[in-house]
């Protein structure tokens, strides 16, 4: 019984992991580009930008809302 639930869970987890990884990667590359363009930015700004990457890594790729514009 457990193996069946695991088999159905793996594709869901895999799609979530790929989505989260791609989004964090794009955000990290964007922040690297910002630091490359403005190399002598203030440390607080750089810290805040990299904190965004950490926060995004902890959040799911999509945040479900019970309401929205499209509903």
């Amino acid at each position: 019984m457990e193996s069946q639930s695991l088999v159905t869970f793996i594709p869901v987890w895999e799609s979530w992991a790929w989505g989260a990884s791609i989004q964090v990667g794009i955000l990290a590359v964007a922040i690297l580009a910002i630091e490359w363009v403005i190399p002598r930015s203030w440390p607080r700004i750089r810290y805040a930008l990299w904190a965004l990457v950490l926060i995004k890594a902890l959040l799911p790729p999509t945040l479900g809302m019970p309401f929205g514009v499209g509903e």
Side-chain angles (χ1 to χ4, degrees):
M1 194 65 118
E2 283 186 43
S3 64
Q4 183 63 22
S5 63
L6 186 60
V7 169
T8 58
F9 174 73
I10 290 174
V12 174
W13 180 82
E14 188 177 52
S15 67
W16 180 87
W18 277 109
S21 299
I22 290 170
Q23 290 177 5
V24 170
I26 290 172
L27 182 60
V29 168
I31 291 174
L32 281 172
I34 290 170
E35 284 192 353
W36 183 68
V37 170
I38 308 170
R40 296 192 184 247
S41 61
W42 296 304
R44 288 182 183 172
I45 292 174
R46 292 174 53 207
Y47 177 79
L49 289 173
W50 286 110
L52 287 175
V53 174
L54 177 64
I55 291 168
K56 181 57 195 152
L58 296 174
L59 292 175
T62 58
L63 292 174
M65 297 290 228
F67 55 87
V69 177
E71 291 186 28

